[in-house]
Amino acid sequence: MKAKMTVNKAFAISEIDPRIYGSFLEHMGRAVYSGIYEPDHETADTKGFREDVKALVKEIKTPIIRYPGGNFLSGYNWEDGIGPVEGRPKRLDLAWKTVETNEVGLHEFMTWAKEVGSEVNMAVNLGTKGIDSARNIVEYCNHPKGSYWSDLRRQNGAEAPFKIKTWCLGNEMDGPWQIGAKTAEEYGRIAAEAAKVMKWVDPEIELVVCGSSHAKMPTFASWEATVLEHTYDHVDYLSLHHYFGNPNNDLKSYLAKSVGMDNFIKSVVAICDYIKAKKNSKKIMNLSFDEWNIWYHSHAKDSKNEPWQQAPPILEDIYNFEDALLLGCLLITLLKNSDRVKIACLAQLVNVIAPIMTEKGGPAWRQATFYPFMQAATHGHGTVLRHNLEVATYDCDEMNAVPYVESIVIHNPEKNEAIIFAVNRSENETVDLAVELQGFELTNVLEFSEISGHDIKQINEKNNEPVAPTTSKEATVKNNELSAKLQPLSWNVVRVGLK
Ligand code: AHR
């Protein structure tokens, strides 16, 4: 099969905000305890954090991590996680029906995040807590000194403020499963008031207000509109959450799910712009897709969990090759919408629906989905270019006219290169992809890396990671045009040098 992509240097979608490669770490399951933190582990540092996990988090290059939840957030007192560890309370976490020991709290997490080279996207509890707790945590983290909370931070060992820039106003507040769930009116009001005073404490911060928990929520669209009516002038981003699965084992429909993500984003953009017009505002509301991933493998197992354990294994999806392909399509979809999607968080980072897995007392390893994410976060920087793609399409149960190729071209002027990410959705046809990069002079192929040739159910395990990129030689530059062979069912990264 042949495919032709045409881009022009002058036609850009947007500069990529690196926070589009964000991730998420919640106090749930084994994400924190026996994930990033395991004091008895042979690689533990002096503070109890696993060095082997730190190395993988550095490798995946996520620039920002949303913390501490998730559903956990809506019952969390951030004050439980500061001060001497011995004095911290053990609490029931009603969201996941577990026991939280608070051994890891604000300072421990901030120190760890700095060590792995990530910023923190901090979320404030608007479930059981409210405006007071929200303004206090901003004061604790970001105010230099000379006030109760900032001086308490200094007393607790952090002289310099943490300077956290990105903050979430609660989590999935429309969901009946959420502790302190709210109507759109109730949430819109409290979010606006919390936002106002948080910015009074630190005008430099940016705020994300909760959109719907997913696109199929019964209040989807009206929730966004009402919440934005209240908060438009006070917040910077509206959140989107969505998880994807393949419960019917239908590969064609599964790989088409990124088209659904694209539709979801476009609908939310339309709602934001409707409120913009209604308010006659100059401001553009951008999006934070701060929970996205594949989540379905662990559902059956998790339904049998005993309550009130400490750090039980929950949501431990084991990802396979077809998941890596869909994850690649989802990443490309986020990049295609990078004019509005400025922040996105792969949910989550370690053990809980995560690209990184650990064994308690054992090794850490990269799941199949680790690699497309890592390669995008490593190379996907610069300006996303608008493209025209000519390629055959297919129909499936979910939708019609799904292009066989999902792809994007990025121009990185600093490195003088063009980067192409592409997924071939066809099960049996190689795609001969021709890319015409108008306005550029191409030199040579710097890298052509692919993940292909696996059984679609192939997984990675400890000490065995078969689903990983390999180098291909089947890309060339000729007559200022790039040609690359995309193997059937493949994730591809092509980097081309520019004059
Ligand atoms: O990421 C797992 C859970 O999914 C989060 O806690 C919640 O926000 C979402 O429903």
Side-chain angles (χ1 to χ4, degrees), residues 24 26 28 70-71 96 171-172 177 241 243 291 295 315 347-348 353:
F24 173 36
E26 177 166 0
M28 67 168 293
N71 297 340
W96 300 105
N171 178 70
E172 297 189 347
W177 59 86
H241 288 186
Y243 292 96
E291 284 190 36
W295 173 12
L315 277 66
Q348 299 191 8
I353 40 173

Side-chain angles (χ1 to χ4, degrees), residues 243-455:
Y243 292 96
F244 303 86
N246 187 12
N248 302 328
N249 198 19
D250 169 1
L251 181 65
K252 278 198 158 59
S253 294
Y254 188 46
L255 294 183
K257 298 231 174 209
S258 55
V259 181
M261 181 196 234
D262 193 61
N263 293 338
F264 180 32
I265 294 170
K266 300 255 170 5
S267 304
V268 177
V269 165
I271 302 163
C272 292
D273 292 350
Y274 160 69
I275 300 296
K276 176 176 186 280
K278 204 168 169 208
K279 287 186 175 284
N280 195 17
S281 173
K282 281 200 280 192
K283 176 175 173 180
I284 292 173
M285 185 61 58
N286 284 320
L287 306 183
S288 171
F289 210 128
D290 50 33
E291 284 190 36
W292 68 273
N293 203 349
I294 293 145
W295 173 12
Y296 77 104
H297 296 284
S298 59
H299 286 340
K301 188 166 171 278
D302 286 346
S303 61
K304 298 182 194 116
N305 272 334
E306 282 296 312
W308 315 128
Q309 300 177 64
Q310 274 180 33
I314 45 178
L315 277 66
E316 298 206 357
D317 274 42
I318 302 302
Y319 295 119
N320 58 32
F321 176 48
E322 66 180 358
D323 297 328
L325 294 173
L326 177 63
L327 192 119
C329 292
L330 296 170
L331 273 166
I332 291 170
T333 304
L334 291 169
L335 289 166
K336 276 181 172 172
N337 289 285
S338 56
D339 54 335
R340 298 302 284 267
V341 179
K342 299 297 173 186
I343 306 171
C345 303
L346 177 71
Q348 299 191 8
L349 184 58
V350 180
N351 286 335
V352 173
I353 40 173
I356 298 170
M357 292 301 290
T358 72
E359 185 179 86
K360 197 170 180 186
W365 65 97
R366 304 165 192 82
Q367 293 232 52
T369 52
F370 180 98
Y371 290 102
F373 188 91
M374 179 270 277
Q375 289 189 310
T378 304
H379 299 298
H381 297 283
T383 303
V384 179
L385 299 176
R386 247 170 240 294
H387 71 257
N388 184 57
L389 175 66
E390 293 159 54
V391 68
T393 61
Y394 66 86
D395 296 344
C396 59
D397 279 355
E398 280 257 321
M399 64 192 75
N400 290 340
V402 180
Y404 273 108
V405 172
E406 192 66 73
S407 58
I408 196 88
V409 182
I410 298 165
H411 173 215
N412 185 332
E414 271 171 37
K415 291 198 168 163
N416 238 357
E417 62 184 48
I419 305 103
I420 291 109
F421 298 135
V423 172
N424 178 0
R425 291 186 172 105
S426 168
E427 283 162 76
N428 33 42
E429 281 203 58
T430 301
V431 171
D432 286 313
L433 176 69
V435 188
E436 187 183 335
L437 292 132
Q438 297 170 353
F440 294 101
E441 265 192 78
L442 313 191
T443 57
N444 56 324
V445 175
L446 304 172
E447 178 187 2
F448 180 12
S449 157
E450 64 182 13
I451 308 180
S452 68
H454 301 285
D455 184 279

